[in-house]
Amino acid sequence: MKYVIETNQLSKSFGPVQAVNGLNLRVGAGEIYGFLGLNGAGKTTTIRMLLGMIAPSVGSVRVLNQAVGPNGRGPWARVGHLVESPAAYPDLSTRENLEIARRLHGLTDANVVSRVIEQLSLTPYADRKAGTLSMGNLQRLGLARALLHRPELLILDEPANGLDPAGVVEIRELLAGLAREGVTILMSSHILTEVDRLATRIGIIHQGRLIEELDAATMEELRAQRLLVQARDLPAAQAALTAAGYSVEKERASQALVLKDARAIEAPEEVATVLVGAGTPPTHLAVEQENLEEHFLRLTGVLQ
Amino acid sequence: MNTFTAALWTETLKARRSLVPLLTAIGFSLAAVVDGLFMIILKDPEAAKQMGLISTKAQLMAGVADWPTFFNILGQAVAVGGAIVFAVITAWVFGREFSDRTVKEWLALPASRSTIMSAKFVVVAAWTMGLSLWVFGLGLFIGRLVNIPGWSLDLLRSSSVDVLGAAVLTILLLPFVALAASLGRGYLPAFGWAILTVAFAQIAAVMGWGDWFPWAVPALFSGAAGPRAGLLGAHSYLVVFGACVLSLMATYLWWQKADQTR
C-alpha cells in the first residue's frame, strides 16, 4: 500500500534528549490522522521532520511518495502546513502575507488569495496589518496560507489553537469538508475532543514513542465503559452492591458509585433491582463511556 | 514568474513596508550632513573656537575646508559608518525571520531556501549600494551648498572611486553579518559581530596589518590613513573577496543543513 506519509524508525535526539524514538508512522490517502501527545512528547519535532525542517538523527521520511530532505527537498507544492503558533510579517497586511505565499508557491491565479480569504472568513481583516490581528485571526491566516494552493496533504500542528468556540467548529467543518474532497490531513492537537470528533485514526505519542494507534472502530472498543450510580444513602448503596458481588468504587468528584464490571454495564437493571431491594433506590443510573481524553491520560500515565 | 523573481518581490515588499529603509537612510545621511557641518566650522576658525568640542574634533579630523578634505571625510564615514548601518540592514533582512518567527513559513515551499537566500542577498546589496549612492549624491549637494574650494572633475572621479569603492568592499563583507544573524537566530548576534569587526579593524590598522584584515580594508581604501597605494596590495582585495565567498558559502550551507526548530 502506498502511504501519503511514511516514516521508518524515525528518531531525533538533541544532545542527550531523545525527542523522537523509532517512530513508524503510516498515514493513508484520505485519512484524518490525529496526532496526540503531552507537551514535549515529540509531536512538533515529528511534524518538523515530516516537513524537512529538522533532519532525522536516524530513520527516514517519505511524503507523497517522495523522500524528504536533505536540503529541504520535498513535494511542497502539494503540501500545506501550519507549524506551532502561526506567524506573519507584522508590517504586511493579511492579503500581502498571502500574496507572498501565492508567489512563492508559483501560483499564477491571483484570485486564489481572495478565495482563501473568504474561505477562512478573513475578509474584514484582509487589509489590516498582520501585527494587529488577534491570535484567532492569525491562526486563520496561517490556515489560509496552508490551504492557498489546494494541497493534497495538510500537516497541521494545533489547528484550533487560539480560536474561539465558534471558530473551532468552523475550522472543524472546514477540515471535514476538505477530507471529504480527498485531502489527507495529519493534525496534532491538545484539544483532544477535537481530534476525537474529526480523526479517522489516532496516534498517541509519548516520550518520543508512538505508544498506540487507534482506528475509529478500535477507539470504540478500547474505551472503557462504566456504570455510574447515585443514591440518597450512598454508603448503604455501596454496601448493598458489594454484598451482591459487584466491585464498587466511590468517585469523590461526582459523589457517585462507579461499577466497571461487565455484569453491571451489560445489565444495569439488575443493579437497580439490588438497590431497590436494599431500600436505597438509585436516583441516577447511567452507563458512561470514557472519553478519549481519559483514555489518553491513562495511557500516558497522567491518570492511574 | 520564476521562484527567484517571486522571492525578490517578497523581500522588496517586506523592506518597503518597513521603517528600516527610512531610518537607515536618515542615519546614513548624517555622514554627509556632519561632513558639511565640519566644512562650515573649518571655513570660519573663529566660530570654530567658540563651538567647543565639535570644533576640536573637526580640527583633528580635517584641517582645511575644501573638496579633497570633504571627500576624504565622506569616504571614512561611508567605510566605518557603512560597516554599522549596512550591518543593521543585513541583520534586519536575515534576523527578522527569527524575531518574527516567520522562518518556518518558507522552509517547506516550492521556492528553495537557496533561492530565498539569494533574493535576500540581492536586496541587501541593492539597498546598501543605493544608500551609498544616495549619501555620495547628498554629499555633492551639501558640498556645493557649503561652497568650498578645490572642486575639479578629476577629483570627483577619484573621490567616487574612494567613496563607492569603500562601500563595495564593505558590502562584500556583509555575508558574515548574514551568517551571524542565521547562526544566532536573530538580530543581536549580528549587531555584536559588526561592532566586534569595527573594533578589531581599528586595532589591526593601528598594528600595521590592516592590509591583511578584511574588515580594515574598506577604511584603508577610502584614504582614511593616507593614499591607499602604500597601504593596500592585491592581497588585501583577495582577502576581502575570499572572506565574501567563504561567508556566502557558509551561509548557504547552514541554511541547507541546520535544524530549524523555531
Side-chain angles (χ1 to χ4, degrees), chain A residues 12 48 53 83 89 96, chain B residues 17 97 104 113 259-260:
Chain A
K12 182 66 185 180
R48 283 184 181 267
M53 297 177 183
V83 180
Y89 296 105
E96 286 170 333
Chain B
R17 289 285 182 272
E97 305 290 357
K104 63 182 186 289
R113 297 174 198 180
D259 284 344
Q260 301 296 342

Side-chain angles (χ1 to χ4, degrees), chain B:
Chain B
M1 179 182 285
N2 65 33
T3 52
F4 178 75
T5 316
L8 197 59
W9 181 89
T10 296
E11 293 305 318
T12 310
L13 179 71
K14 285 190 267 183
R16 273 173 43 214
R17 289 285 182 272
S18 161
L19 279 176
V20 180
L22 179 68
L23 295 177
T24 51
I26 291 171
F28 208 39
S29 298
L30 286 177
V33 172
V34 172
D35 198 0
L37 187 67
F38 283 168
M39 293 300 115
I40 292 170
I41 293 164
L42 289 168
K43 275 176 76 176
D44 188 346
E46 277 309 307
K49 279 178 190 169
Q50 290 168 14
M51 288 189 75
L53 269 180
I54 191 165
S55 136
T56 308
K57 180 75 175 167
Q59 296 282 4
L60 282 173
M61 286 187 69
V64 285
D66 59 10
W67 275 105
T69 309
F70 182 84
F71 280 130
N72 185 265
I73 295 174
L74 195 63
Q76 292 176 48
V78 166
V80 180
I84 299 295
V85 174
F86 296 175
V88 168
I89 291 167
T90 313
W92 181 80
V93 168
F94 286 84
R96 73 164 301 180
E97 305 290 357
F98 297 101
S99 303
D100 291 338
R101 302 181 70 85
T102 44
V103 59
K104 63 182 186 289
E105 307 302 341
W106 50 264
L107 292 172
L109 286 176
S112 72
R113 297 174 198 180
S114 311
T115 303
I116 293 171
M117 283 298 101
S118 301
K120 284 183 181 293
F121 277 122
V122 168
V123 165
V124 166
W127 186 344
T128 50
M129 202 58 223
L131 264 187
S132 306
L133 288 168
W134 155 253
V135 165
F136 189 71
L138 184 67
L140 290 179
F141 174 74
I142 289 175
R144 285 278 177 199
L145 212 65
V146 174
N147 193 23
I148 44 179
W151 171 267
S152 74
L153 274 179
D154 280 346
L155 180 70
L156 176 66
R157 264 193 294 273
S158 65
S159 299
S160 306
V161 173
D162 293 349
V163 176
L164 299 177
V168 168
L169 289 169
T170 306
I171 291 166
L172 286 175
L173 294 168
L174 292 177
F176 268 108
V177 181
L179 182 60
S182 305
L183 286 172
R185 292 180 158 94
Y187 305 114
L188 286 180
F191 294 155
W193 171 265
I195 291 165
L196 206 67
T197 52
V198 168
F200 274 110
Q202 299 290 329
I203 295 168
V206 168
M207 291 175 74
W209 44 272
D211 56 326
W212 284 100
F213 190 67
W215 291 272
V217 172
L220 294 176
F221 184 91
S222 74
R228 63 174 163 270
L231 297 168
L232 299 175
H235 64 280
S236 309
Y237 305 109
L238 272 176
V239 292
V240 172
F241 187 71
C244 175
V245 171
L246 194 73
S247 53
L248 272 175
M249 284 170 57
T251 308
Y252 278 100
L253 199 66
W254 186 86
W255 278 98
Q256 297 298 342
K257 301 287 182 193
D259 284 344
Q260 301 296 342
T261 54
R262 289 194 187 181

Side-chain angles (χ1 to χ4, degrees), chain A residues 139-155:
Chain A
Q139 186 76 3
R140 285 172 191 271
L141 172 55
L143 284 165
R145 192 163 36 207
L147 297 176
L148 187 71
H149 51 298
R150 296 182 182 273
E152 294 168 45
L153 168 65
L154 275 170
I155 297 177

Side-chain angles (χ1 to χ4, degrees), chain A residues 117-156:
Chain A
I117 282 175
E118 201 172 319
Q119 189 179 14
L120 271 298
S121 310
L122 281 166
T123 309
Y125 312 99
D127 298 313
R128 192 181 284 187
K129 282 187 178 180
T132 66
L133 293 180
S134 67
M135 181 66 186
N137 283 327
L138 207 54
Q139 186 76 3
R140 285 172 191 271
L141 172 55
L143 284 165
R145 192 163 36 207
L147 297 176
L148 187 71
H149 51 298
R150 296 182 182 273
E152 294 168 45
L153 168 65
L154 275 170
I155 297 177
L156 307 173

